[in-house]
Amino acid sequence: MLNRYPLWKYLLIAFVVVLGFIYSLPNLYPDDPAIQISGSSSSTVLEPAVLERAEKTLNEAGIAIKAAEGDERTQMIRLVQADQQQLARSLVKDALGDDYVVALNLAPTTPDWLTAIGAYPMKLGLDLSGGVHFLLEVDTDRAVKQRLDIANSEIRAQLRQERLRYRTMPEREDGARQLAFLDAATRNAAQRVIARENPDLQVETDDQGERYVVSFGFSEQRIRELEDDAVRQNLTSIRNRVDELGVSEPLVQRQGRNNIVVQLPGVQDTAEAKRILGQTANLEFRLEALPNAARTSTEAFSFRDERRPDALLERDIIITGDRVSSAQSNFDSESGQPQVNINLDTTGGRRMNDATRGNIGRSMAVLFIEQKPTTRVETQEIDGEMVRLEVPGFREEKHIISLATIQSALGNQFRITGLNSVAEASELALLLRAGSLAAPMYFVEERTVGPSLGAENIKMGVDSTLMGLGLIVMFMIVVYRVFGLLANIALTINLMLLLAVMSLFGATLTMPGIAGIVLTLGMAVDANVLVFSRIREEIKLGRPIQRAIHDGYDRAFISIFDGNITTLLVGVILFAVGTGPIKGFAVTLSIGILTSMFTAIMVTRSLVNLVYGGRRDLKKLNI
Amino acid sequence: MTDKTDEKIINFMRLRFIATILSVVLVAGSIVSLATKGLSWGLDFTGGTLIELVYDNPVSTEEIREQLVDSGYTDAVVQEFGSAQDILVRMPGEDPGLARVLSELLNDQYDGVVEVKRVEFVGPQVGEQLREQGGLGMLLALGMVMLYIAFRFQFKFSVGAVLALAHDSIIAMGLFSVLGIQFDLTVLAAILALVGYSLNDTIIVYDRVRENFRKRRKGSPVEIINVSLTQTLGRTLATSGTTLMVLMALFLFGGEMINGFATMLIAGVLVGTYSSIYIASNLLLYMNISREDLVVPVKEDEVDERP
């Protein structure tokens, strides 16, 4: 019998539709504007009194509270009106003081039974929700150079230990370090030592007349690894810092080779966000120079608190802060003095041990390195015109934060004592934990979208989508009658499935994404139009009605398939190479094509079958 | 197969030479405009700072421009964004602090309240990167599409489809160049969407051409193409019509931010529809398409349960 689906097909379609309905449902529950209170350090416990104080403050200001919930770490106060959110935040912040972080948030109102089955609303992109977007570029060259500096220090120590005399030479143009030796035998011995102790270095020899030179640098592959590590580590540090900001659903993501994207929904105070993100700090551990040390091997640094006189440190770096795996501040059980307990990773521990074993009684300094962003004005010729350009850059500042005597050989675990105060200890611990970046970064992009602009965008996007949908619905009914009605039902199911799939995948809806939805809706109609006009053609050719319906679907299927697959190809490639808005568009387009193929082919067919299937008495089709 | 020959067949290809001339003129004109006038690249590509301001009363952009020039910002572009109260300031320079300085400056010189609605500071190196990636993506997409069509149809079809695609995108971009509309990332997304739309359109016509070449024993290529175009005309018009309706809704009510996107797509759908009728099929004729190109045994006996 023509045009009858087996029962399992109807069931399958019904199952998908019900599933789509459930998973698109959370999007109907709008988020509550809320403020979120948490302790400024992870160990702070929120006493009930804190919440009471916050609620009292809001009540006094006449800000209506919908509900308060949370645990002893984070409390969320839901507000009734969105435009009071900013005010509420600053009031509560003032009332609670610096021990607490007060952030803006949007609290979901999805019912528990939906979240229990993993149904969450779609996330909104910054252009729809408001907030800030930063693009940071990691200076990976600097990271590689720093690593080579450390290797260089180690090699010189190794050569001294083997009693091989060398002379330092300027860096080669490609960045490789060079050491000169007096004769070929020493040079060869040195080359062997360097190659043995540093398997990740590329060691070359090069004789320039009297000079017997060994040069070493990282291989291309090793450089890429180091760059990767640097970006990854910066990513982790930024995540830690963003957590400090207390933003709900922040996005910290690597983009391309050395860029990092940070999106903070709901944040409007860019200055504060930038201050915390942009504190590109790093640490170095160095030995204090001996009084009789050669001037070329030492460097003078000032202290951060500027009360103490400058100290002379060795040029050689023992380790940098990225070798620190954890750090806590506490008190020495015997003396009661503040101290910081530090854990290093394996490599860091080995290096620290090597450096301190023979130097007990000397002092070791912890240097704090900051990259302060600067802009330099440059005149450049563009299109024959002299244009003043502001070039972003950064200035490096290094200060000593602690200088303490080495009591015994250090390993993976050690402590820094001799700190001035508890505050200094906890700051040092914090910087060691979250503050160390493997490479400096600077801001390449910054976008701020106001919350009102976001709301406006949503409204316009939704309105125009609905309007477009309305026009299509009318058009289809006028042109294709009953079939048009069935197509409209399918179209609605399509929109629902699209939302469900996007919600399930955790895709982010952006403005171009809405445009993508609108476009897929327009194109989804195409599949139906193809089928229906084909059925009309078949009827005109004089086929029996049931045959015409069957052949119409059959023939149109090939066109729909070819057309959609090519568009899908474009969508997938856009997703793969695109960034930001293009990606948002590609996601909705690709998902939309898949869901519209399902609805236009399977769902309308099942509806047509239900209405007309198996009816022999059908003489005329209202199409 | 019973062919009903009383069906009226529109002789589309009668206009093929006029269409060729029209397309050559349009493409050449677009290329000339793109080469001489270029595109007015948006912030995403050039780098710089964009500030959207909301004044509590209508203001004149001329005045704001003067205020900025007086304060030494000679390169600023000031334009209305939707209404006389919404102002968009664009300027070169990548200092994120610039936005604050400017908004303070404008607030000082204005009686009412100026609210900063949006600030974007974009580095030019990202623009470069995106341009490269966008171009690469485009080439990759074209390559994949060519392969797919060559596999599903025949290589003449894949050449025709891609040339028609190039035709459409060049003309759409040319239009943007001539009108001087800002070319930003959403417009780029629109071009890529246009690629998808125009391809879909072309493929559906080609699909029918392939079918008719295999089905009909007689008729010259021109006749077969005319028959195919006539058969698909209803569908082509319905689809372009509905898509245009949706795009018009976006254009009129979608807000300023997707105005460029909607404009580009409306142009794209119009050009795409024209080209799938006249250019894509015409190109097949120029490549001397014949029945022999498509002699693949047609499986007529298969009874499958396709939906």
Side-chain angles (χ1 to χ4, degrees), chain A residues 515 519 585, chain B residues 172 176 187 189-195 197 243-244 247 250 259-272:
Chain A
L519 188 71
F585 175 74
Chain B
F176 263 62
V187 174
I191 293 196
L192 297 159
L194 144 75
V195 167
Y197 181 88
T243 312
L244 278 177
L247 289 173
L250 261 193
N259 219 311
F261 179 89
T263 312
M264 177 57 101
L265 268 177
I266 288 173
V269 168
L270 291 175
V271 179

Side-chain angles (χ1 to χ4, degrees), chain A residues 12 52 62 126 139 160 178 208 220 238 393 465 549:
Chain A
L12 178 75
E52 270 170 39
L126 276 192
D139 187 351
R160 276 196 300 273
Q178 307 189 97
Q208 304 156 1
E220 277 295 313
I238 294 175
T465 309
I549 295 177

Side-chain angles (χ1 to χ4, degrees), chain A residues 25-32 108-111 113-114 121:
Chain A
L25 208 52
N27 296 298
L28 291 179
Y29 296 90
D31 287 342
D32 281 336
T109 53
T110 316
W113 67 273
L114 278 174

Side-chain angles (χ1 to χ4, degrees), chain A residues 246-503:
Chain A
V247 182
S248 66
E249 294 192 29
L251 175 98
V252 181
Q253 211 173 51
R254 182 174 183 172
Q255 185 180 302
R257 260 178 73 110
N258 44 16
N259 289 332
I260 294 175
V261 173
V262 180
Q263 292 192 340
L264 309 172
V267 171
Q268 294 297 324
D269 188 354
T270 47
E272 158 135 354
K274 279 187 82 170
R275 193 177 55 77
I276 296 189
L277 290 180
Q279 257 179 11
T280 50
N282 199 1
L283 296 161
E284 277 174 14
F285 291 80
R286 297 193 194 196
L287 284 173
E288 189 180 27
L290 293 170
N292 57 352
R295 181 112 38 98
T296 50
S297 69
T298 64
E299 231 176 320
F301 290 102
S302 60
F303 277 84
R304 212 149 82 107
D305 61 7
E306 288 176 352
R307 276 176 311 214
R308 285 183 267 180
D310 290 5
L312 215 53
L313 304 182
E314 283 193 1
R315 265 182 202 281
D316 291 356
I317 303 162
I318 305 171
I319 53 163
T320 57
D322 52 327
R323 291 277 166 218
V324 175
S325 50
S326 70
Q328 291 87 35
S329 69
N330 50 20
F331 297 97
D332 182 5
S333 53
E334 283 162 29
S335 64
Q337 291 296 306
Q339 61 177 23
V340 176
N341 283 344
I342 292 173
N343 281 303
L344 300 180
D345 63 11
T346 329
T347 324
R350 185 177 52 76
R351 287 202 192 134
M352 186 55 86
N353 189 270
D354 289 348
T356 51
R357 214 181 314 144
N359 292 310
I360 294 166
R362 285 177 71 181
S363 290
M364 185 173 67
V366 182
L367 270 171
F368 182 69
I369 307 154
E370 254 179 307
Q371 310 291 339
K372 296 233 166 123
T374 55
T375 35
R376 164 169 62 85
V377 175
E378 210 174 68
T379 344
Q380 256 185 9
E381 200 179 307
I382 295 173
D383 299 335
E385 268 180 83
M386 294 305 277
V387 181
R388 240 191 53 202
L389 278 179
E390 285 171 1
V391 183
F394 39 84
R395 186 179 70 243
E396 200 173 61
E397 281 185 11
K398 292 190 179 188
H399 298 288
I400 301 173
I401 41 174
S402 119
L403 186 67
T405 313
I406 302 169
Q407 313 277 2
S408 57
L410 306 176
N412 276 359
Q413 288 179 16
F414 62 95
R415 53 189 189 165
I416 296 179
T417 53
L419 296 157
N420 282 336
S421 63
V422 184
E424 196 182 314
S426 62
E427 194 190 346
L428 177 56
L430 179 81
L431 288 171
L432 282 167
R433 271 201 310 270
S436 71
L437 293 174
M441 301 181 296
Y442 53 92
F443 288 85
V444 184
E445 247 183 50
E446 178 186 324
R447 288 164 194 257
T448 320
V449 179
S452 58
L453 185 65
E456 222 172 86
N457 280 345
I458 293 195
K459 198 180 168 300
M460 284 181 171
V462 170
D463 282 358
S464 52
T465 309
L466 289 179
M467 201 155 341
L469 201 61
L471 287 170
I472 292 177
V473 164
M474 284 193 301
F475 176 88
M476 292 301 279
I477 291 182
V478 169
V479 178
Y480 296 107
R481 316 289 169 82
V482 179
F483 277 77
L485 187 70
L486 300 181
N488 286 335
I489 296 172
L491 203 62
T492 315
I493 293 175
N494 181 24
L495 187 61
M496 198 178 77
L497 285 181
L498 179 58
L499 292 184
V501 174
M502 288 192 61
S503 307

Side-chain angles (χ1 to χ4, degrees), chain B residues 17 23 41 59 88 96 106 119 125 161 193 214 222 227-228 236 278 297:
Chain B
F17 294 107
S23 286
W41 295 101
V59 285
L88 203 66
L106 292 173
V119 179
Q125 54 269 69
R214 286 174 182 169
V222 172
V227 168
S228 309
T236 306
Y278 278 104

Side-chain angles (χ1 to χ4, degrees), chain A residues 446 448 518 526 534 559 562, chain B residues 119 121 207 211 235 239 246:
Chain A
E446 178 186 324
T448 320
V518 175
D526 182 51
R534 198 70 198 230
S559 309
D562 279 336
Chain B
V119 179
F121 139 70
D207 198 71
E211 187 185 322
R235 172 265 155 199
T239 300
V246 179

Side-chain angles (χ1 to χ4, degrees), chain A residues 1 4-6 9 127 135 137 255-257 259 270-271 274 375 387-392 442-453 456-457 460-461 463-465 467-469 471-472 475-476 480 511-512 514-516 518-519 521-523 525-526 529-530 533-534 537 540-543 550 553-555 557-567 569-570 573-574 577-579 581-582 585 589 601-602 605, chain B residues 1-4 7 44 52 75 81 92-98 100 115-127 129-130 133-134 136-138 140-142 144-145 148-149 152-153 185-186 188-190 192-197 199-201 203-204 207-208 210-211 215 231-232 234-239 241-243 245-247 249-250 253-258 261 265 269 300 302-307:
Chain A
M1 185 68 80
R4 315 263 324 245
Y5 263 177
K9 262 194 182 173
D127 50 351
L135 184 77
E137 188 168 310
Q255 185 180 302
R257 260 178 73 110
N259 289 332
T270 47
K274 279 187 82 170
T375 35
V387 181
R388 240 191 53 202
L389 278 179
E390 285 171 1
V391 183
Y442 53 92
F443 288 85
V444 184
E445 247 183 50
E446 178 186 324
R447 288 164 194 257
T448 320
V449 179
S452 58
L453 185 65
E456 222 172 86
N457 280 345
M460 284 181 171
D463 282 358
S464 52
T465 309
M467 201 155 341
L469 201 61
L471 287 170
I472 292 177
F475 176 88
M476 292 301 279
Y480 296 107
M511 198 63 222
I514 291 185
V518 175
L519 188 71
L521 289 182
M523 290 177 66
V525 177
D526 182 51
V529 169
L530 267 169
S533 50
R534 198 70 198 230
E537 265 180 64
K540 267 190 203 154
L541 288 173
R543 298 202 192 287
H550 183 267
Y553 269 97
D554 227 30
R555 297 262 158 78
F557 175 78
I558 302 165
S559 309
I560 296 172
F561 184 80
D562 279 336
N564 280 288
I565 291 293
T566 40
T567 313
L569 272 178
V570 175
I573 289 164
L574 276 191
V577 301
T579 52
I582 296 189
F585 175 74
L589 183 71
I601 299 167
M602 295 273 282
R605 184 79 199 264
Chain B
M1 279 290 140
T2 47
D3 264 359
K4 279 222 168 181
E7 179 89 28
D44 299 316
E52 193 185 335
D75 306 336
F81 193 63
E94 299 94 45
D95 177 14
L98 197 62
R100 197 164 300 119
E115 187 204 331
V116 179
K117 217 171 173 188
R118 174 161 61 118
V119 179
E120 291 184 13
F121 139 70
V122 187
Q125 54 269 69
V126 176
Q129 207 171 312
L130 277 171
Q133 271 185 345
L136 187 77
M138 200 78 146
L140 203 64
L142 284 183
M144 297 289 282
V145 163
Y148 181 81
I149 299 174
R152 289 281 298 171
F153 293 77
L185 269 183
T186 52
L188 181 67
L192 297 159
L194 144 75
V195 167
Y197 181 88
L199 255 181
N200 185 52
D201 231 27
I203 296 272
I204 281 159
D207 198 71
R208 197 52 87 92
R210 175 179 60 180
E211 187 185 322
K215 209 165 67 180
Q231 285 170 339
T232 50
R235 172 265 155 199
T236 306
L237 292 180
T239 300
T242 47
T243 312
M245 282 197 289
V246 179
L247 289 173
L250 261 193
F253 308 104
E256 294 280 344
M257 275 177 85
I258 43 174
F261 179 89
L265 268 177
V269 168
E300 280 290 1
E302 81 178 336
V303 186
D304 74 353
E305 256 300 306
R306 247 195 295 244

